[in-house]
């Protein structure tokens, strides 16, 4: 588009043909008041607050919807513009309750701010004000629709970004109500952004209600750790407690949005089960002790139980910081053990490293095709899913290979239902089809494979794609042939020249991989570690109820009298009391400085937003002191930045792929235990409002009619404690347990 | 009188295909199908005729048609606005009832000129009888091979569909009509982009009023100059007027532009017995009211009515006599706009309610002295600041009623009752039928 020149308030500025006046004004720092305009949403031009005077136009024009033209002269502050702006302001205020003293938006309200400049001190309105009854829309968003100014930002957010039209304007005229069409509450995993876009106090954060005023709080920029994105956030705390989390703009990462998980999980930090004091178990009794005693007890336990260094095993969740991972593995390796792992929820650890993604977050936006394998991206990686959705809106096509049909917020062309035990053979067929179509040699192990129409269609789409991506999701983690599957996907991506987006390892896994929080050739991994040779376990942020894929073998090991279990944890629960010998209370999210490495490999450090509660300490400090007490060398750190700098010098483990040709029995019924998105980590699991939201309450065992018959269960039953839901949207010979409940095993 | 849109009135079965054809109907369309007329010739003829959009805005039709990107290789649409909802108007209804084929032919010609192969006629939801008449006419036209694909062996195709509205006044606004036609809630779109570029389903679209389309075949068969000469300068041709209110014979009249108002009043039988003229709304409730004196001195054409301080609008002439209470009439009109505002944009959503409530309060005897100035100030703040013209339409009566009849309003506020003894309300009478 050609460059033109316009004049705003007497300043000559360059502009692109077709840009809106408001865009140019924003760029030039010229303030134009607005409510409905939002840079990431479509233009609505309904609030009329941004009316400006355009020379030659008889009426004032909305700056948001008026495109600039060469030589255009715009006045944003002359009498005509001001008259129109003040008129609109007056109209907006006549029916607004002006209940600012009891409104949570007070102090951060766009209406309040703009009214300061454009509003009048005295109202001329003598009639009765409008009152709008509220419909509850769920546990996360508090509505007070009497305050609504009908800007429709929330409506457009739902339709355009979240992809689920949940809010709409019903009725007409003065009776227009912005409300959900359905009564079961908001379903979107991005719903909290509606709070951010709402310019007034109509939509506010429910858990934050009446907690604090925005100006009382201490705002600290931070990074969210629940997924691979590392969304930029601001934590707001009051009297040492995180009271709210809001989005921070970063166009290449999370744009201006964050997921509900990132926004509302902070509530878990003040859960009653926080570990506040060091505790030791003596003769089966738990005792609260001082740190010194707990540390001595820990060191004695390690030394007494590990007859040699290789009897130490170290395990962590996917949600620790780079610094914690680095120091923990350094402690283990300095001690002499290579038994280190964070992949505690994976069934197959044979390939020693994960497949590297070859695409960046912002590149996903411009793909022309995606093949999603084993992922419900919308709930599992909401912000990455958002980029895929944007691509689909621009014409990209999506095929999926999943064990269940999922409710994506974009159209998929083809959903191939495949039980976990059959994914491998499905991929074999697709690979063979690709070989045949491209004309390359078919490897011998594929000779007996016969691709069908669906495989051929998927192959065709992959070949036709110029700029596509294959997405691997976290459902593959529990697949016993996940190494073979990733290997196949690697091959498919290679022969079709497509990119890979590996979403299998969530949280801060990239940091764990970067510092080598995995065994090298000699060490034992998260599966092989559970044997009689491991006598001491050090667990970091591990919840024995939820996190282990191999619940039983872990429990068997921990409960052995000769085994000593040290748990660094922010929370306590019964299983921890049963399994551990010492609990070292650890700082949780936002309570310690740290570093997250995201999908793009971007290293983002954050400082502590609040002090950790009780006697709990930042993880890296606990590890450093333990190392000192174990008389290990090289732990002379003064701050976490030193740890980070050293950690980043270590080079990432390189993954290699052999031709894996796993033979599996695919006639057995398999069960896949998939955590609902708000049950993934210890903090989210304890966030009250998240748990009460629709997504938080996901708890169903999906099974097909015929499989249910084979298992002799019906719709009223529980399967492994989870309510059964019989549907034809799930693969045969298979149960998809989508749940917020702790993992249970058959016969367990 | 009744030479163009109403030319078949009085004949047997005026709405039938046979009557229409017997009186020269479909001749232009057949000529086009034979390749004897080009789009450019048609546009020149329309420009000569001086035909201006009859929906209210009065935009020159020939010019409008020439704006369509006819050579762009995308689907284009022709839409007829038969959502006749302006209080006081009912002539489009009668065109649909008595001359539906003229609308069909006019739309087909428009489709040919603008290279649009699909048309929609959006008919007001309450118009059940006109809807069935038009549907029947459509069937006959299809049967005669005058609508459909590759007509009469020519490369020309034109399909026409009817769509019945759901009773919202706002859908008479062309972009709200498009939204409604797309199956959405009827709310006006902001412009630009204009429908000629981004219209129905995002495609180039031209929307004209029923009367405009119905005038086209006659103009083309008898010549643009003939039509222009019927009227006066700047207002070519004839125009249908609905005359309602305090007249002996309320009716629709198609008269040449420039006809004196007094003549139109005469045609409607003059005022009811024993009454004197008090005020006239010349173009529908959205246009400013005029005093009797002003009205009696004007002629019915765009310029004269504009000079008198109002607008020709949709040609809905509401006649009020000395027994009409202007306060009550205005309150009723304000209620209409309050009720029909779509609620999308702020000034109209909030302002129409404010106006109505104030007027209702005055009517209830609780008016305050400062209310009149506040009514004017609120109207001024709505005017020109809204997405569509409904805001202006709501403001115009308030301003003109108060400015022309301020005494009556002041009397009502002071005394808590109307200056008219045993007052009654003509608008209510006219619209409650």
């Amino acid at each position: 588009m050609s460059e033109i020149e316009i004049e705003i308030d007497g300043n000559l500025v360059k502009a692109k043909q077709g840009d809106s006046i408001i865009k140019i004004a924003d760029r030039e720092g010229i303030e134009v008041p607005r409510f409905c305009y939002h840079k990431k949403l479509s233009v609505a031009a309904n609030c009329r607050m941004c009316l400006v005077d355009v020379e030659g136009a008889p009426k004032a024009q909305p700056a948001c919807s008026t495109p600039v033209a060469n030589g255009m002269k715009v006045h944003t502050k002359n009498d005509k513009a001001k008259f129109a702006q003040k008129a609109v302001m007056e109209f907006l205020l006549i029916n607004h309750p002006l209940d600012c003293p009891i409104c949570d938006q007070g102090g951060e309200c766009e209406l309040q701010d703009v009214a300061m400049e454009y509003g009048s001190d005295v109202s001329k309105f003598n009639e009765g004000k409008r009152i709008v009854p509220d419909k509850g829309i769920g546990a996360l968003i508090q509505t007070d629709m009497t305050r609504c100014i009908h800007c429709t930002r929330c409506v457009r957010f739902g339709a355009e970004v979240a992809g689920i039209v949940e809010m709409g304007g019903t009725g007409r005229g003065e009776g227009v109500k912005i409300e959900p069409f359905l009564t079961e509450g908001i379903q979107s995993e991005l719903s909290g952004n509606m709070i951010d876009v709402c310019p007034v106090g109509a939509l506010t954060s429910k858990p934050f209600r009446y907690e604090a005023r925005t100006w009382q709080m201490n705002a600290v920029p931070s990074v969210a750790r629940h997924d691979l994105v590392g969304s930029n956030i601001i934590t707001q705390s009051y009297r040492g407690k995180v009271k709210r989390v809001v989005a921070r703009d970063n166009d290449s990462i999370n744009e201006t949005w964050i997921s509900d998980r990132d926004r509302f999980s902070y509530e878990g930090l003040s859960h009653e089960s926080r570990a506040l004091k060091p505790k030791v178990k003596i003769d089966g009794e738990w005792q609260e002790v001082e740190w010194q005693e707990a540390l001595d007890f820990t060191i004695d336990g390690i030394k007494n139980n590990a007859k040699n260094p290789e009897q130490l095993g170290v395990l962590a969740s996917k949600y620790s910081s780079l610094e914690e991972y680095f120091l923990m593995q350094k402690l283990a390796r300095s001690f002499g053990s290579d038994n280190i792992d964070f992949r505690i929820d994976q069934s197959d650890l044979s390939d020693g490293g994960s497949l590297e993604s070859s695409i960046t977050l912002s590149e996903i936006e411009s793909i022309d095709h995606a093949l999603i394998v084993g992922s419900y991206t919308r709930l599992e990686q909401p912000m990455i899913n958002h980029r895929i959705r944007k691509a689909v809106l621009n014409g990209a096509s999506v095929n999926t290979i999943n064990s269940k049909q999922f409710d994506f917020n974009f159209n998929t062309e083809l959903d191939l239902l495949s039980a976990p035990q059959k994914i491998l053979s499905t991929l074999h067929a697709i690979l063979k089809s690709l070989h045949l179509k491209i004309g390359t040699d078919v490897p011998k192990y594929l000779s007996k494979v016969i691709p069908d129409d669906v495989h051929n269609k998927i192959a065709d789409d992959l070949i036709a794609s110029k700029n596509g991506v294959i997405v691997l999701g976290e459902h593959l983690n529990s697949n016993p042939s996940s190494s073979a599957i990733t290997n196949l996907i690697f091959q498919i991506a290679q022969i079709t020249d497509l990119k890979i987006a590996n979403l299998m390892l969530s949280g801060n896994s990239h940091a764990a991989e970067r510092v080598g929080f995995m065994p090298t050739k000699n060490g034992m991994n998260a599966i092989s570690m559970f044997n009689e040779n491991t006598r001491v376990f050090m667990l970091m942020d591990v919840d024995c109820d939820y996190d282990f894929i191999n619940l039983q073998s872990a429990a068997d090991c921990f409960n052995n009298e000769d085994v000593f279990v040290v748990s660094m944890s922010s929370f306590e629960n019964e299983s921890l009391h049963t399994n551990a010998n010492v609990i070292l209370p650890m700082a949780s999210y936002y309570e310690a400085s740290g570093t997250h490495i995201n999908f793009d490999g971007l290293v983002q450090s954050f400082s502590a937003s609040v002090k950790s509660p009780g006697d709990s300490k930042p993880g890296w400090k606990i590890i450093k002191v333990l190392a000192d007490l174990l008389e290990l060398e090289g732990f002379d750190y003064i701050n976490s930045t030193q740890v980070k700098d050293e950690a980043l010098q270590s080079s990432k483990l390189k993954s290699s792929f052999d031709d894996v040709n796993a033979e599996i029995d695919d006639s057995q019924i398999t069960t896949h235990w998939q955590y609902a998105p708000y049950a993934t980590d210890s903090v989210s699991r304890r966030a009250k409002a998240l748990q009460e939201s629709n997504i938080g309450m996901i708890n169903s065992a999906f099974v097909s009619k015929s499989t249910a018959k084979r298992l002799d269960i019906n719709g009223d039953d529980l399967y492994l404690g989870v309510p059964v839901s019989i549907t034809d949207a799930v693969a045969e010979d298979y149960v998809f347990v989508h749940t917020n409940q702790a993992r249970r095993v058959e016969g367990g | 009188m009744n030479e163009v849109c109403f030319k078949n009135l009085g004949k047997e079965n005026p709405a039938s295909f046979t009557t229409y054809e017997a009186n020269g109907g479909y001749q232009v369309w057949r000529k086009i199908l034979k390749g004897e007329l080009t789009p450019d010739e048609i546009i020149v003829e329309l420009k000569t005729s001086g035909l201006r959009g009859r929906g209210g805005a009065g935009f020159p039709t020939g010019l409008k048609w020439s704006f369509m990107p006819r050579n762009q290789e995308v689907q284009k649409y022709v839409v007829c606005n038969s959502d006749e909802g302006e209080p006081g108007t009912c002539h489009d209804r009668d065109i649909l009832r008595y001359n539906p084929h003229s609308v069909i032919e006019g739309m087909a010609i428009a489709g040919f000129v603008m290279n649009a192969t699909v048309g929609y006629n959006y008919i007001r939801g309450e118009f059940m009888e006109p809807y069935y008449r038009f549907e029947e006419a459509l069937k006959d036209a299809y049967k005669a091979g005058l609508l459909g694909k590759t007509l009469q062996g020519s490369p020309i195709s034109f399909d026409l569909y009817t769509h019945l509205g759901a009773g919202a006044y706002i859908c008479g606004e062309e972009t709200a009509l498009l939204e409604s036609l797309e199956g959405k809630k009827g709310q006006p779109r902001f412009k630009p982009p204009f429908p000629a570029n981004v219209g129905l389903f995002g495609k180039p679209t031209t929307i004209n009023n029923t009367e405009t389309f119905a005038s086209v075949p006659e103009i083309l068969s008898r010549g643009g100059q003939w039509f222009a000469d019927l009227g006066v300068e700047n207002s070519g041709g004839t125009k249908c007027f609905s005359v309602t209110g305090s007249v002996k014979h309320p009716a629709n009249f198609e008269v040449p532009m420039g006809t004196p108002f007094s003549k139109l009043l005469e045609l409607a039988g003059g005022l009811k017995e024993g009454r004197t003229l008090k005020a006239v709304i010349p173009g529908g409730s959205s246009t400013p009211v005029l005093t009797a004196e002003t009205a009696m001195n004007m002629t019915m054409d765009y310029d004269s009515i504009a000079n008198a301080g109002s607008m020709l609008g949709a040609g809905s002439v509401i006649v009020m006599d000395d027994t009409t209470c202007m306060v009550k009439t205005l309150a009723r009109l304000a209620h209409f706009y309050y009720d029909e505002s779509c609620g999308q944009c702020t000034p109209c959503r909030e302002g129409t309610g404010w106006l109505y409530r104030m007027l209702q309060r005055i009517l209830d005897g609780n008016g305050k002295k400062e209310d009149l100035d506040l009514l004017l100030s609120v109207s001024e703040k709505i005017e020109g600041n809204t997405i569509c013209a409904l805001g202006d339409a709501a403001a115009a009566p308030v301003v003109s009623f108060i400015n022309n009849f301020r005494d009556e309003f002041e009397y009502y506020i002071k005394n808590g009752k109307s200056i008219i003894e045993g007052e009654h309300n003509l608008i209510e009478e006219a619209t409650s039928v």
Side-chain angles (χ1 to χ4, degrees), chain B residues 224-371:
Chain B
Q225 198 54 51
W226 166 80
F227 187 77
D229 290 345
L230 289 176
V232 293
E233 206 194 330
N234 231 353
S235 305
T238 58
K239 167 88 189 87
C240 299
F241 292 97
S242 301
V243 185
T244 58
S246 185
V247 291
K248 282 193 189 123
H249 308 298
N252 290 321
F253 305 96
E254 187 176 47
V255 295
M257 287 281 200
T259 304
F261 166 73
S262 52
K263 175 92 186 296
L264 194 61
L265 191 58
E266 225 170 82
L267 284 171
L271 285 171
K272 286 183 181 168
E273 250 353 281
R275 306 277 173 84
T276 51
L277 185 68
K278 179 176 188 175
V280 176
I281 299 178
S285 67
S286 310
T287 61
V289 68
L290 299 173
T291 58
E293 198 192 354
T294 320
M296 290 307 275
N297 288 323
M298 77 185 172
T299 54
M300 301 308 286
D301 57 85
Y302 290 105
D303 292 349
S304 175
I305 299 182
N307 286 337
S310 189
M311 285 183 291
L312 180 85
S316 354
V317 185
I318 301 170
V319 180
M320 289 174 264
D321 66 31
D322 52 339
T323 65
T324 309
C325 172
M326 299 312 268
V327 182
K328 198 171 176 191
T329 305
L330 181 61
R332 181 67 188 83
L333 284 177
H335 180 269
F336 176 81
Y337 291 105
Y338 154 72
D339 198 37
E340 293 292 351
S341 166
C342 81
Q344 184 183 196
C345 72
T346 309
C348 178
R349 176 184 65 241
E350 308 293 344
T352 52
W354 195 355
L355 290 176
Y356 159 67
R357 290 209 164 74
M358 271 195 280
L359 283 160
Q360 191 58 46
R361 185 159 49 73
I362 293 171
L363 216 55
D364 292 343
N366 299 318
K368 296 187 198 121
K369 224 167 58 193
E370 56 272 25
D371 282 344

Side-chain angles (χ1 to χ4, degrees), chain A residues 76-96:
Chain A
T76 69
K77 292 178 181 63
N78 69 3
D79 287 350
K80 188 170 159 189
K82 282 265 177 184
F83 178 80
Q85 291 158 359
K86 286 184 171 175
V88 173
M89 192 70 234
E90 186 174 3
F91 286 130
L92 284 170
L93 291 179
I94 61 168
N95 275 309
H96 189 79

Side-chain angles (χ1 to χ4, degrees), chain B residues 200-235:
Chain B
L200 186 61
F201 305 115
K203 300 292 190 294
T205 302
T206 283
I207 307 158
N208 277 121
N209 162 264
T210 319
E211 187 182 340
T212 314
F213 280 124
S215 309
V216 169
E218 198 64 15
I219 289 172
L220 294 180
S221 77
R222 298 177 74 169
Q225 198 54 51
W226 166 80
F227 187 77
D229 290 345
L230 289 176
V232 293
E233 206 194 330
N234 231 353
S235 305

